[in-house]
C-alpha cells in the first residue's frame, strides 16, 4: 500500500496526538479533574484527525443505571448539526457495543439504525467503540460520517488505540477519585474515633459515653437508631444499656438470650459481625427482633463487643429503614467504635471495682479483701493482654495496700491493747494497794490478837489442846493469806523483765500446779531453748494457768505435751492437751474478759468456757493474754474443734533484745 505525503503527515500527527494523550493520562494520578476533561477532548479531536470530516462524541458509562450518561458528553468535529445533544438510546449502537464489549459498525447492523437525530443531522454511517478496562465498560466513543462509506482497517486500528487511552484515562481518574473518597472517609473515621476516645476520658457515666458513641454512629452511617446491649452477670443474656435514634415510640428493650433466636443474640454467640441488606429476607426474617414495632426497618448492622482476652462484653446494633443501607466501610467503622465502647466499659468496670475495693481495704479484714480481689481477678482479667497485665498490677497494688493496712491495724490494735492493759493494771495496782492496806488493817491484827490470847490465857489453853491448836491454825492461816495476797497482787505491779530460762519457768509451774494424778506432763527440748525476756514468776504463773485449764478440759485424765522452738528474735512455747478441742468460732472469743461468764442454756459451761473459767487471779484466759502482752509477747490457740488444743506462747529472745539495745 502506497502512502501519500498527506497520509504520512496525518499519521505523524496522529502519533503525536497519541503521545500527548499518553502524557495526559500519566498526569491523571495528580487528581486534577481538568486534566481528565482535557484528555477526553484531545481523544475526541484525535478521532477527527484520524478520519477527516468525521464527528466524534464520547460518553461515560454509569454502572448504577446501566446506561450512558448524557451529561458526560465530550465532542469534536466540524458539523454543528451533528454536535447537538441527543440522548443515547437504551438499545442504540452505544449500549450494543457495551453489551458485546466490541465495536459496533452501523453498516454491519442491518437491524439497528443510526440515531434519528443524528440521521437527520446528516450522519450517513457511524461506528461505536466501547471503552473497556479488564472487561468492565467505562464509556463509548461514537464516530459519525457524513458519507456512506466503511472505515478502513487502519482507521479502526488507530481508533482502538485512542479508545484504549480514553478507557485508561477514565479508569485512572475513577481510581484517584475512589482513593480520595476513601482517604476522606478514613480521615473522618479517625476523627470520629479520636472524638470517641476523648469521650471516654471526659465522661464519668458509662451510659453517657455509650449514647454519645451511638449518636456518632447514626450521624456517619445514616441509620435510624442504634442500641447497646451488654452481657449480664449471668453471662447468658444481653440487656439494654444505651439507646439512641429518631422517632422511637416504645422500644422493646427486654433482655435477649445469647443464642440464635435473635440477630443480636447470634452475633454475641458467634462473635462475628453481620451486615444484613434486608431483614425481611430469609434467613434473617425468622430471627429478626424489632426494637420498635411501629418502625419498619430493612437493613441491620451489628458487631460484637470483644474485650481484652477475648471476653464478650455485648453487641452494638444499628438499623435503617432502607434496604442495603450499610456498606463494608460502615461495618469497619462500627467495629472501630465498638472497640472504643469496650475500652469505656472496661475502664468503668475497673473504676467501680476500685472504688469498692478502696472502701473494703479500710473496713474489712485482710482475708475478706483478698477474697474480694480474687473475685475481681476472675471478673476483670480474662487473658494475658496488656490490659489484663495492667489490671493485674493494679489489683496487686491494692492487695499490697490491704496487707500494709492490716499490719498497721494489727500494730494499732496491739498498741491500743497494750495501753488498755497498762491502764487496767495501773488502776488494779491502785486497787490492790488499797486492798492490801485494808487487809493489813483487818487480817493483820489476827496474829497480834492471838498472841495476846495466848499470853493471857496460857493456863486455859494448856488445859484445852483443841482450842490451842485452832488458835495456832488461825494464826498460820492469817499469815499465809497475807503472804499469798502480797505475792499475787505483786503481779499487778510493773514487771521487771530480764533473761529467764524457759525450762526453769516450766519447772516452777509444774511444782506450783495442782494437777490431778491422771494428768501426765511430757516435755522435750526445753533445755536447748535460749533465754527469753520476761518475769520468771509471771511466766511461770501463765504456764500454771494453762496447765490447770488443760487438766480441767481433759476431766482430770490425759497427757499434756510441752515443747518449744526458737526462730529469729522469738521463742515459741507450745502446750498441747488431748482434750475435746475448741470450736473454731470460739477460739478468738475465749480470750475475752467476760467469756468465762457465758454459759450454755442448761447452765453448764462448755469445754471452752471451762478452759477460761479458772485462773489464779480469777480472770480466765483473758489474764493469760494480758500477762503475755505485758511481757511483750503473745498467746494464740489452735484446735480442730474435735480433739486436742494447743496454746502457743510467743516471747522475745533475751539475747536478741540485748543486742538491739546495744546497737541502738
Amino acid at each position: 500500500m502506497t502512502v501519500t505525503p498527506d497520509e504520512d503527515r496525518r499519521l505523524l500527527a496522529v502519533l503525536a496526538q497519541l503521545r500527548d494523550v499518553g502524557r495526559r493520562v500519566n498526569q491523571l494520578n495528580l487528581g486534577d479533574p481538568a486534566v481528565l476533561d482535557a484528555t477526553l477532548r484531545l481523544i475526541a479531536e484525535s478521532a477527527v484527525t484520524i478520519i477527516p470530516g468525521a464527528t466524534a462524541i464520547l460518553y461515560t458509562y454509569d454502572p448504577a443505571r446501566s446506561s450512558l450518561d448524557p451529561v458526560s458528553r465530550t465532542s469534536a468535529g466540524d458539523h454543528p448539526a451533528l454536535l447537538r445533544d441527543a440522548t443515547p438510546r437504551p438499545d442504540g449502537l452505544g449500549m450494543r457495543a457495551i453489551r458485546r464489549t466490541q465495536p459496533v459498525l452501523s453498516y454491519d447492523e442491518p437491524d439497528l439504525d443510526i440515531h434519528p437525530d443524528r440521521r437527520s443531522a446528516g450522519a450517513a454511517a457511524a461506528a461505536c467503540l466501547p471503552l473497556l478496562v479488564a472487561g468492565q465498560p467505562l464509556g463509548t466513543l461514537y464516530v459519525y460520517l457524513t458519507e456512506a462509506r466503511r472505515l478502513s482497517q487502519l482507521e479502526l486500528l488507530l481508533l482502538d488505540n485512542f479508545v484504549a487511552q480514553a478507557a485508561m484515562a477514565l479508569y485512572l481518574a475513577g481510581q484517584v477519585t475512589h482513593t480520595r473518597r476513601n482517604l476522606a472517609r478514613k480521615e473522618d473515621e479517625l476523627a470520629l474515633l479520636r472524638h470517641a476516645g476523648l469521650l471516654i476520658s471526659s465522661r464519668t457515666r458509662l451510659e453517657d459515653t455509650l449514647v454519645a458513641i451511638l449518636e456518632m454512629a447514626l450521624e456517619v452511617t445514616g441509620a435510624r437508631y442504634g442500641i447497646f446491649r451488654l452481657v449480664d452477670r449471668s453471662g447468658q443474656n444481653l440487656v439494654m444499656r444505651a439507646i439512641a435514634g429518631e422517632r422511637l415510640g416504645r422500644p422493646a428493650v427486654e433482655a435477649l438470650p445469647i443464642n440464635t433466636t435473635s440477630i443480636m443474640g447470634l452475633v454475641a454467640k458467634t462473635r462475628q459481625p453481620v451486615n444484613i441488606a434486608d431483614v425481611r429476607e430469609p434467613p434473617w426474617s425468622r430471627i429478626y427482633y424489632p426494637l420498635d414495632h411501629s418502625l419498619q426497618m430493612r437493613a441491620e448492622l451489628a458487631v460484637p463487643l470483644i474485650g481484652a482476652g477475648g471476653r464478650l462484653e455485648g453487641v452494638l446494633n444499628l438499623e435503617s429503614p432502607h434496604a442495603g443501607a450499610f456498606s463494608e466501610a460502615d461495618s469497619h467503622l462500627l467495629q472501630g467504635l465498638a472497640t472504643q465502647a469496650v475500652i469505656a466499659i472496661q475502664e468503668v468496670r475497673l473504676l467501680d471495682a476500685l472504688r469498692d475495693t478502696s472502701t473494703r481495704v479500710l473496713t474489712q479484714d485482710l482475708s475478706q479483701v483478698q477474697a474480694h480481689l480474687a473475685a475481681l481477678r476472675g471478673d476483670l482479667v480474662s487473658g494475658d493482654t496488656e490490659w489484663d497485665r495492667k489490671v493485674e498490677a493494679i489489683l496487686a497494688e491494692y492487695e499490697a495496700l490491704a496487707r500494709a493496712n492490716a499490719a498497721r491495724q494489727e500494730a494499732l490494735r496491739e498498741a491500743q491493747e497494750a495501753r488498755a492493759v497498762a491502764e487496767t493494771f495501773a488502776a488494779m495496782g491502785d486497787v490492790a494497794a488499797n486492798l492490801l492496806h485494808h487487809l493489813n488493817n483487818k487480817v493483820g491484827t489476827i496474829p497480834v490478837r492471838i498472841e495476846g490470847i495466848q499470853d493471857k490465857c496460857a493456863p486455859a489453853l494448856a488445859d484445852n489442846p483443841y482450842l490451842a491448836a485452832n488458835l495456832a491454825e488461825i494464826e498460820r492461816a492469817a499469815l499465809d493469806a497475807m503472804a499469798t495476797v502480797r505475792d499475787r497482787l505483786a503481779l499487778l505491779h510493773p514487771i521487771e523483765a530480764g533473761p529467764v530460762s524457759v525450762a526453769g519457768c516450766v519447772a516452777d509451774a509444774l511444782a506450783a500446779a495442782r494437777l490431778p494424778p491422771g494428768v501426765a506432763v511430757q516435755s522435750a527440748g526445753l533445755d536447748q531453748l535460749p533465754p527469753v525476756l520476761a518475769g520468771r514468776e509471771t511466766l511461770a504463773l501463765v504456764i500454771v494457768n494453762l496447765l490447770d485449764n488443760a487438766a480441767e478440759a481433759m476431766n482430770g485424765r490425759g497427757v499434756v505435751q510441752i515443747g518449744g522452738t526458737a526462730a529469729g528474735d522469738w521463742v515459741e512455747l507450745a502446750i498441747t492437751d488431748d482434750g475435746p478441742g475448741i470450736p473454731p468460732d470460739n477460739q478468738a472469743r475465749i480470750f475475752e474478759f467476760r467469756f468465762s461468764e457465758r454459759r450454755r442454756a442448761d447452765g453448764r459451761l462448755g469445754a471452752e468456757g471451762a478452759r477460761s473459767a479458772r485462773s489464779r487471779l480469777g480472770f480466765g484466759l483473758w489474764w493469760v493474754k494480758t500477762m503475755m502482752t505485758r511481757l511483750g509477747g503473745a498467746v494464740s490457740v489452735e484446735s480442730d474443734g474435735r480433739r486436742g488444743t494447743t496454746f502457743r506462747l510467743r516471747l522475745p529472745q533475751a539475747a536478741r533484745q540485748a543486742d538491739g539495745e546495744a546497737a541502738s
Side-chain angles (χ1 to χ4, degrees), residues 323-555:
F326 303 115
S327 65
E328 280 301 308
D330 292 328
S331 179
H332 293 315
L333 172 63
L334 201 62
Q335 291 176 56
L337 291 175
T339 300
Q340 298 293 332
V342 167
I343 294 173
I345 293 167
Q346 291 178 330
E347 288 189 353
V348 168
R349 182 185 291 115
L350 179 60
L351 288 174
D352 290 344
L354 294 183
R355 290 192 192 100
D356 182 35
T357 303
S358 298
T359 302
R360 291 174 182 267
V361 167
L362 297 176
T363 60
Q364 294 183 343
D365 59 36
L366 179 60
S367 61
Q368 290 175 310
V369 175
Q370 287 175 325
H372 172 68
L373 290 173
L376 284 184
R377 286 187 176 92
D379 186 39
L380 300 177
V381 180
S382 56
D384 190 33
T385 65
E386 184 66 25
W387 169 264
D388 293 319
R389 288 190 288 273
K390 288 181 179 178
V391 172
E392 183 65 42
I394 293 173
L395 296 182
E397 290 178 3
Y398 270 81
E399 184 168 0
L401 287 175
R403 291 181 181 277
N405 183 67
R408 286 192 293 269
Q409 292 296 325
E410 179 64 20
L412 178 61
R413 186 191 62 77
E414 291 178 353
Q416 291 173 337
E417 189 174 75
R419 179 178 178 181
V421 168
E423 292 174 349
T424 300
F425 270 76
M428 293 177 68
D430 292 339
V431 172
N434 188 47
L435 176 62
L436 186 59
H437 174 72
H438 285 287
L439 285 175
N440 277 327
N441 290 338
K442 301 297 183 181
V443 180
T445 62
I446 294 176
V448 176
R449 291 180 180 275
I450 289 176
E451 288 180 1
I453 293 173
Q454 289 172 339
D455 290 341
K456 294 181 179 182
C457 303
L461 292 175
D463 294 338
N464 192 340
Y466 174 78
L467 179 60
N470 276 280
L471 283 175
E473 181 60 27
I474 291 173
E475 181 182 20
R476 186 193 63 78
L479 293 172
D480 286 348
M482 290 298 299
T484 300
V485 169
R486 281 194 299 270
D487 292 343
R488 294 299 179 255
L489 293 182
L491 295 172
L492 301 177
H493 297 158
I495 299 173
E496 295 183 3
V500 171
S501 168
V502 175
C505 290
V506 171
D508 293 347
L510 290 174
R514 298 184 296 271
L515 297 178
V519 174
V521 178
Q522 301 174 352
S523 62
L526 300 181
D527 293 332
Q528 284 73 43
L529 294 176
V532 297
L533 188 67
R536 179 161 183 158
E537 186 177 358
T538 303
L539 180 55
L541 195 55
V542 168
I543 298 171
V544 167
N545 274 271
L546 293 178
L547 290 173
D548 287 346
N549 284 332
E552 186 165 345
M554 296 185 298
N555 293 321

Side-chain angles (χ1 to χ4, degrees), residues 528-606:
Q528 284 73 43
L529 294 176
V532 297
L533 188 67
R536 179 161 183 158
E537 186 177 358
T538 303
L539 180 55
L541 195 55
V542 168
I543 298 171
V544 167
N545 274 271
L546 293 178
L547 290 173
D548 287 346
N549 284 332
E552 186 165 345
M554 296 185 298
N555 293 321
R557 300 188 64 83
V559 177
V560 178
Q561 295 180 339
I562 304 177
T565 58
D569 297 337
W570 301 90
V571 171
E572 186 176 273
L573 186 67
I575 301 175
T576 303
D577 65 60
D578 56 3
I582 303 174
D585 293 343
N586 286 337
Q587 288 178 16
R589 299 172 58 228
I590 62 173
F591 295 107
E592 296 176 4
F593 180 74
R594 299 181 61 84
F595 185 72
S596 61
E597 298 181 8
R598 301 169 187 169
R599 297 176 177 269
R600 294 179 179 175
D602 60 4
R604 292 183 293 108
L605 282 172

Side-chain angles (χ1 to χ4, degrees), residues 629-649:
T629 300
R630 294 185 69 198
L631 292 173
V635 60
S636 61
V637 64
E638 297 175 3
S639 177
D640 61 6
R642 296 186 298 273
R643 181 174 179 80
T645 300
T646 297
F647 284 92
R648 298 187 182 277
L649 304 178

Side-chain angles (χ1 to χ4, degrees), residues 20 68 84 122 133 220 250 266 296 381 400 405 482 497 591 601 641:
D20 293 341
L68 296 172
R84 286 196 295 265
V133 172
V220 173
R250 300 181 61 185
L266 175 67
Q296 298 296 321
V381 180
N405 183 67
M482 290 298 299
F591 295 107

